[in-house]
């Protein structure tokens, strides 16, 4: 039987592989779609994404986290969650179907009516997979989760790109999301041995709701926080402006979610299992924090370094306005996985009230600030959004310290060496390569040089996490 350490390492490996493959696929097809579609196409989808995200969060209602927090969830628990999700998903789709004209009126875009009704079909597919996903998540079936995600993103990207090539504009992006959700749900059913029964009893759901309702409220608030600029840009600026920002946001999101997804797939289950041993739990948590910082800072700072060359070469100059927005967003993107890890520790302690309160306060401050400063322009809004998210990293830490004793000094010693090393490497790389005029050579040189310099710095500093990662990967290669 695998130890918890082996399960964690295996989970990080499969989480990394899944997210790596998904981001590579996203990179390739993101470039294809960016070339085929216009900023206004992305803007149309960006304006309605928030409604779909909130609906999916409502039908899920935080029960994945609630089931993971149960020591030994029963069949009745999963079955209750499944039927709740089905009824809620159908009801929400019906509500949004008839609300589509109101959404279109808010954005002053009549074409959104039928786009909403089509795009929101993913809610119906999503509601069928929550219980299956929760079962795999709780039992740390990371390989199956990885295979599900990789297959779904590949198939949906191929179909989306084919439709864009045939001239379906923003309908291609909507179809891509629907195909991803449907494929993901189908494969979750394939890999999960759990099956629902016809006996419907909502008593287990009611018992879990005290915990899960805070997760639900937090999820909704998080979606609003992440998409507040899409919501406001679509209202106060043009569809093209919303699309340009969304392109920058999507590339930033692809990068930080690579790290976030890798850690998120194991963090809460592992931390919950260690709840009885405070010392081991904090030790495991700090190792996850160092691993996250080790990957996140060079990845996001590196993207900021090559943003212009990448956007122009991959997506053409029609997206050039997205470059400065992407560079600013990468700063907050670097700390997003750290915030997620801190919030996972809070959840593992059963304190969903703190999780919700912290996220809700961030949302309120963010919305007030954005409404106040939008006349100053998009760049000012993005800079403010980034600064606030950097500040909120320390708010998350303050609550984690209260629950675990994880001091600020320990936290800074875990993340600052990687942040400063990555920043120094990117600045040095930028200076050494600034005389290169060819965009292709500049992009290649900056990627290769920054990777080499960061590796050398980590090796000279004898960073233990580098040795552990190298050892684990070599072990996997030898087994094959």
């Amino acid at each position: 039987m695998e130890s918890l350490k082996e399960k964690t390492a295996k989970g990080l490996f499969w989480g990394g592989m899944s997210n790596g493959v998904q981001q590579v696929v996203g990179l390739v097809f993101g470039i294809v779609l960016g070339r085929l579609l216009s900023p206004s196409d992305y803007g149309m989808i960006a304006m309605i994404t928030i409604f779909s995200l909130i609906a999916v969060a409502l039908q899920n209602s935080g029960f994945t986290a609630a089931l993971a927090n149960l020591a030994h969830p029963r069949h009745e628990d999963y079955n209750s969650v499944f039927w709740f999700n089905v009824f809620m998903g159908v009801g929400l789709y019906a509500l949004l179907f008839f609300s589509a004209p109101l959404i279109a009126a808010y954005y002053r875009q009549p074409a959104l009516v039928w786009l909403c009704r089509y795009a929101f079909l993913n809610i119906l597919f999503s509601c069928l997979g929550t219980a299956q996903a929760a079962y795999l998540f709780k039992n740390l079936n990371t390989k199956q989760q990885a295979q599900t995600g990789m297959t779904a993103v590949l198939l949906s990207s191929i179909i989306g790109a084919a439709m864009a090539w045939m001239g379906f504009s923003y309908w291609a992006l909507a179809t891509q999301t629907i195909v991803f959700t449907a494929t993901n749900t189908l494969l979750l059913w394939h890999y999960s041995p759990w099956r629902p029964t016809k006996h419907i009893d909502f008593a287990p759901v009611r018992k879990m709701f005290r915990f899960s309702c805070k997760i639900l409220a937090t999820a909704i608030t998080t979606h609003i926080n992440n998409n507040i600029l899409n919501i406001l840009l679509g209202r106060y600026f043009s569809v093209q402006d919303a699309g340009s920002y969304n392109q920058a946001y999507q590339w930033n999101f692809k990068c930080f979610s690579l790290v976030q997804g890798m850690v998120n797939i194991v963090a809460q289950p592992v931390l919950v299992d260690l709840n009885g041993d405070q010392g081991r739990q904090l030790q495991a948590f700090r190792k996850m924090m160092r691993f996250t910082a080790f990957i996140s800072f060079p990845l996001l700072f590196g993207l900021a370094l090559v943003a212009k060359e990448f956007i122009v070469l991959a997506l053409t100059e029609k997206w050039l306005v997205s470059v400065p927005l992407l560079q600013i967003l990468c700063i907050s993107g670097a700390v997003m996985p750290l915030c997620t890890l801190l919030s996972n520790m809070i959840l593992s302690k059963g304190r969903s009230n703190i999780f919700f309160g912290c996220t809700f306060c961030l949302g309120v401050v963010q919305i007030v600030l954005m409404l106040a400063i939008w006349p100053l322009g998009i760049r000012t809004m993005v800079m403010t959004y980034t600064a606030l998210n950097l500040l909120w990293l320390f708010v998350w830490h303050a609550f984690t310290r209260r629950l675990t004793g994880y001091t600020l000094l320990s936290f800074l010693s875990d993340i600052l060496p990687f942040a400063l090393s990555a920043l120094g490497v990117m600045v040095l790389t930028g200076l050494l390569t600034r005389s290169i005029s060819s965009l292709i050579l500049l992009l290649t040189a900056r990627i290769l040089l920054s990777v080499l310099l960061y590796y050398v710095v980590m090796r000279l500093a004898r960073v233990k996490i580098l040795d552990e990662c190298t050892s684990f990967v070599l072990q996997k290669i030898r087994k094959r």
Side-chain angles (χ1 to χ4, degrees), residues 226 252 256 260 296 332-341 385 389:
N226 292 341
N252 176 57
F256 77 71
Q260 192 167 266
S296 185
S332 61
V335 303
M336 288 296 189
L338 305 179
C339 293
T340 299
L341 192 52
Y385 171 85
N389 278 281

Side-chain angles (χ1 to χ4, degrees), residues 167-420:
F168 282 92
S169 64
Y170 48 78
W171 296 100
L173 296 172
T175 303
Q176 183 179 8
T177 302
I178 293 169
V179 173
F180 174 83
T181 307
T183 305
N184 191 69
T185 298
L186 185 64
L187 290 174
L188 287 172
W189 277 74
H190 171 71
Y191 286 118
S192 171
W194 180 83
R195 291 292 180 268
T197 53
K198 292 180 181 178
H199 177 68
I200 302 175
D201 178 12
F202 291 130
V205 161
R206 286 194 292 270
K207 288 179 183 177
M208 285 184 274
F209 194 69
R210 185 175 179 183
F211 176 86
S212 70
C213 67
K214 300 180 185 73
I215 307 298
L216 164 63
T218 305
I220 292 173
T221 308
T222 300
H223 290 319
I224 294 172
N225 292 351
N226 292 341
N227 289 274
I228 184 63
L229 290 176
N230 283 326
I231 298 169
L232 294 179
L233 294 181
R235 171 71 176 178
Y236 296 112
F237 297 86
S238 69
V239 178
Q240 288 78 10
D241 288 330
S244 296
Y245 166 77
N246 186 254
Q247 188 70 260
Y249 174 79
Q250 288 300 324
W251 287 110
N252 176 57
F253 177 79
K254 286 178 196 296
C255 248
F256 77 71
S257 65
L258 172 63
V259 187
Q260 192 167 266
M262 189 190 310
V263 177
N264 212 30
I265 203 168
V266 297
Q268 194 194 352
V270 169
L271 294 172
V272 168
D273 281 348
L274 292 172
N275 256 336
D277 190 335
Q278 182 87 358
R280 279 187 67 205
Q281 186 187 53
L282 186 56
Q283 185 181 18
F285 177 71
R286 291 191 65 183
K287 183 173 282 190
M288 288 182 193
M289 186 62 70
R290 289 191 292 271
F291 173 79
T292 304
F294 168 70
I295 301 292
S296 185
F297 285 111
L299 187 63
L300 272 297
F301 289 173
L303 178 60
L305 175 68
V306 301
K308 182 177 179 180
E309 299 80 58
F310 170 73
I311 291 292
V312 173
L313 287 171
L315 305 179
T316 71
E317 291 189 359
K318 69 181 177 183
W319 293 104
L320 200 55
V321 70
S322 299
V323 171
L325 305 181
L326 174 58
Q327 290 173 324
I328 298 167
L329 286 171
C330 283
I331 300 171
S332 61
V335 303
M336 288 296 189
L338 305 179
C339 293
T340 299
L341 192 52
L342 289 166
S343 66
N344 268 309
M345 173 58 93
I346 293 169
L347 276 179
S348 73
K349 296 294 186 182
R351 298 302 300 270
S352 57
N353 58 325
I354 293 177
F355 184 43
F356 166 65
C358 192
T359 308
F360 180 77
C361 289
L362 171 62
V364 171
V365 173
Q366 198 162 253
I367 290 169
V368 170
L369 278 175
M370 293 301 124
L371 287 172
I373 67 171
W374 75 262
L376 300 177
I378 297 173
R379 188 175 297 196
T380 302
M381 294 172 75
V382 174
M383 290 174 66
T384 305
Y385 171 85
T386 296
L388 186 58
N389 278 281
L390 284 174
L391 173 65
W392 226 257
L393 173 68
F394 295 97
V395 176
W396 282 114
H397 169 264
F399 285 106
T400 305
R401 177 175 54 82
R402 279 176 47 193
L403 296 173
T404 65
Y406 185 33
T407 65
L408 180 61
L409 184 61
S410 297
F411 178 53
L412 293 177
S413 69
D414 286 339
I415 66 168
L416 272 185
F418 301 107
L420 295 175

Side-chain angles (χ1 to χ4, degrees), residues 80-134:
S80 185
V81 167
F82 174 81
W83 287 111
F84 174 86
N85 289 163
V86 169
F87 289 125
M88 181 67 85
V90 172
L92 287 168
Y93 177 75
L95 176 64
L96 286 172
F97 183 93
F98 293 109
S99 299
L102 297 176
I103 297 172
Y106 173 78
Y107 288 117
R108 307 181 191 94
Q109 293 288 336
L112 284 178
V113 175
W114 283 104
L115 179 61
C116 286
R117 289 170 174 173
Y118 177 68
F120 295 157
L121 285 171
N122 77 304
I123 298 166
L124 298 178
F125 293 111
S126 176
C127 71
L128 297 171
T130 303
Q132 306 289 351

Side-chain angles (χ1 to χ4, degrees), residues 41-50 107 227 230-231 242-243 246:
D41 291 328
Y42 278 87
M44 290 288 280
I45 294 296
M47 290 188 292
I48 65 171
T49 297
I50 185 62
Y107 288 117
N227 289 274
N230 283 326
I231 298 169
N246 186 254

Side-chain angles (χ1 to χ4, degrees), residues 14-25:
W14 279 107
M17 177 174 285
S18 172
N19 280 279
V21 170
Q22 290 187 50
Q23 298 312 322
V24 169
V25 172

